[in-house]
């Protein structure tokens, strides 16, 4: 077939096909008159390039998929090199999303500031005050058994970014007890919470919970908590605002891919098309989950609940560990910098 036929079959323009040829991705045969001749294999290659490009993979980076097809693969992503290219594309998109989210948040703040600068009307919620005060009659979450299997499991060995700009290896938290409290999403003064947020059992109260852990941090350390981490699916830029605004003495871990949930079947819930962690707290000793608090309620008193449990259980079920000050032990941090 000629280039026009190929273009129609693959649903691309002749100009695009010529570009693929210039990059060496498509190599048509030549007839005796010197004209290009294309076959069904070329249609397959061009369709593969088109599909990948629409997913955000640059044309120049589709070669691993085409090589996989050329080597006899039924699909362009049957080969390890193709999978690596997928991961590279995902990492690139994640970086762009984080940058765009940060830009959007700055623009939102500037918009609200400009809109109400000359206005006699008070700026609407969210305000910092109503984030640290729980509304009355919040629905109480029930124990659905979704966390019953977690005690005794080891944390998986993968790293999460933290607000300290240090990647933390969950499989190498170090000796002694670590408190990891999982939460859905902290509110921000400049951004409205999702519609119906207060009606979701266990959703409201992330800011009050963080404040409670902040206010009891020294006491938690005194009874043997070597480390305290908050963990959610928000990116570190979003979490860093919370750490700075609330003056938290411990870092937050970011798990936007819900890797921990997938590895250990930790319960989540969906709101507005986004999956979020259900609120729970893990007491981890030498890499093993010793105790699970689930469900957590009320969130503004939860650090006190953890503190009472640590006082009542001075000896770990998995070995005495090396109880001392926060930050002790050999924390699995990737890179330089303190871990709080």
């Amino acid at each position: 077939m000629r280039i026009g036929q190929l273009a129609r079959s693959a649903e691309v323009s002749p100009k695009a096909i010529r570009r693929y040829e210039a990059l060496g991705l498509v190599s048509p045969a030549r007839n005796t008159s010197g004209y290009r001749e294309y076959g069904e294999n070329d249609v397959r290659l061009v369709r593969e390039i088109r599909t990948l490009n629409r997913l955000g993979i640059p044309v120049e980076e589709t070669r691993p998929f085409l090589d996989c097809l050329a080597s006899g693969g039924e699909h362009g992503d049957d080969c390890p090199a193709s999978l690596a290219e997928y991961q590279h594309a995902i990492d690139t998109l994640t970086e762009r999303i984080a940058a765009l989210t940060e830009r959007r948040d700055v623009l939102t703040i500037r918009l609200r500031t400009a809109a109400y600068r000359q206005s006699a009307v008070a700026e609407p919620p969210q305000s910092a005050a109503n984030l640290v005060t729980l509304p009355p009659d919040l629905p109480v979450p029930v124990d659905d058994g979704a966390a019953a299997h977690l005690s005794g499991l080891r944390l998986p060995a993968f790293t999460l970014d933290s607000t300290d700009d240090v990647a933390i290896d969950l499989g190498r938290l170090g000796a002694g007890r670590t408190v990891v409290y999982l939460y859905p999403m902290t509110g921000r003064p400049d951004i409205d919470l999702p519609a119906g947020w207060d009606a979701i059992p266990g959703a409201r109260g992330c800011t009050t919970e963080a404040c409670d852990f902040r206010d009891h941090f020294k006491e938690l350390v005194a009874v043997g908590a070597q480390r305290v981490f908050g963990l959610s699916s928000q990116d570190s830029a979003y979490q860093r605002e919370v750490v700075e605004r609330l003056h938290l003495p411990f870092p937050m871990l970011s798990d936007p891919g819900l890797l921990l949930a997938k590895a250990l079947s930790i319960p989540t819930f969906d709101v507005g098309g986004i999956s979020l962690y259900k609120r729970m707290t893990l007491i981890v000793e030498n890499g093993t989950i010793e105790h699970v608090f689930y469900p957590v309620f009320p969130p503004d008193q939860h650090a006190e609940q953890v503190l009472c449990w640590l006082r009542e259980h001075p000896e770990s079920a998995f070995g005495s560990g090396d109880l001392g000050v926060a930050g002790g032990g050999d924390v699995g941090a990737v890179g330089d910098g303190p871990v709080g």
Side-chain angles (χ1 to χ4, degrees):
M1 65 181 75
R2 296 295 180 84
I3 192 169
Q5 294 173 291
L6 173 59
R8 288 190 294 273
S9 297
E11 299 179 356
V12 298
S13 68
K15 182 178 179 180
I17 295 173
R18 292 191 182 96
R19 183 187 174 204
Y20 303 161
E21 292 180 24
L23 292 171
L25 302 174
V26 177
S27 301
R30 299 273 183 171
N31 62 20
T32 55
S33 300
Y35 291 106
R36 296 179 178 86
E37 287 189 344
Y38 303 90
E40 289 302 321
N41 185 60
D42 296 310
V43 175
R44 188 184 185 197
L45 293 178
V46 172
R47 285 177 175 170
E48 184 78 4
I49 297 170
R50 178 202 65 192
T51 299
L52 294 168
N53 190 234
R54 289 179 178 176
L55 289 173
I57 297 178
V59 170
E60 296 85 349
E61 297 178 15
T62 61
R63 189 177 299 277
F65 301 90
L66 306 184
D67 290 344
C68 190
L69 291 174
S71 66
E74 182 179 355
H75 305 96
D77 54 10
D78 284 340
C79 303
S82 305
L83 302 183
E85 188 56 46
Y86 274 152
Q87 187 59 58
H88 173 70
I90 291 169
D91 292 342
T92 300
L93 286 172
T94 299
E95 292 175 2
R96 292 177 182 173
I97 290 169
L100 289 171
T101 299
E102 187 172 356
R103 287 169 57 186
R104 181 201 63 193
D105 292 346
V106 171
L107 287 171
T108 300
I109 295 171
R110 292 176 68 90
L111 171 62
R112 290 173 67 94
T113 301
Y116 289 91
R117 184 179 296 129
Q118 305 298 332
S119 175
V121 179
E123 190 169 340
Q126 297 288 69
S127 70
N130 66 27
L131 288 176
V132 297
T133 303
L134 292 180
D137 303 321
L138 281 176
V140 180
V142 299
D143 189 351
D144 55 7
H149 65 289
L150 293 174
S151 292
L153 296 183
R154 291 194 62 81
L155 289 185
F158 55 71
T159 59
L160 298 178
D161 291 336
S162 80
T163 51
D164 280 350
D165 294 322
V166 176
I168 300 298
D169 186 344
L170 292 182
R172 295 178 55 245
L173 290 177
R177 282 170 166 161
T178 300
V179 177
V180 183
Y181 76 89
L182 285 66
Y183 63 95
M185 178 179 67
T186 49
R188 288 175 54 159
D190 56 305
I191 300 175
D192 291 335
L193 290 169
W197 187 251
D198 289 0
I200 302 172
R204 182 65 184 268
C206 299
T207 298
T208 61
E209 183 180 25
C211 291
D212 198 39
F213 272 102
R214 175 198 64 197
D215 296 343
H216 291 86
F217 179 71
K218 291 183 179 180
E219 295 171 83
L220 291 166
V221 170
V223 296
Q226 296 278 331
R227 293 156 292 276
V228 175
F229 294 112
L231 187 153
S232 75
S233 59
Q234 284 70 63
D235 61 44
S236 289
Y238 187 100
Q239 294 174 327
R240 194 172 292 112
E241 186 276 338
V242 177
V243 170
E244 294 173 354
R245 173 163 48 87
L246 301 181
H247 306 288
L248 301 183
F250 51 84
M252 299 288 201
L253 304 183
S254 176
D255 186 10
L258 298 175
L259 299 178
L260 187 59
K262 295 171 184 176
L264 298 183
S265 297
I266 287 177
T268 61
F269 68 99
D270 295 333
V271 59
I274 303 174
S275 293
L276 303 170
Y277 277 107
K278 287 190 176 183
R279 195 182 309 279
M280 72 165 59
T281 295
L282 309 177
I283 306 297
V284 181
E285 166 71 22
N286 294 328
T288 299
I289 299 173
E290 181 184 6
H291 185 74
V292 180
F293 292 88
Y294 178 84
V296 170
F297 194 85
D300 60 340
Q301 300 175 31
H302 179 53
E304 298 174 64
Q305 297 168 352
V306 174
L307 184 60
C308 288
W309 187 91
L310 290 172
R311 284 172 175 161
E312 293 170 0
H313 299 81
E315 296 296 328
S316 167
F318 302 105
S320 59
D322 181 19
L323 303 183
V325 297
D330 183 18
V331 180
V334 180
D336 296 325
V339 178

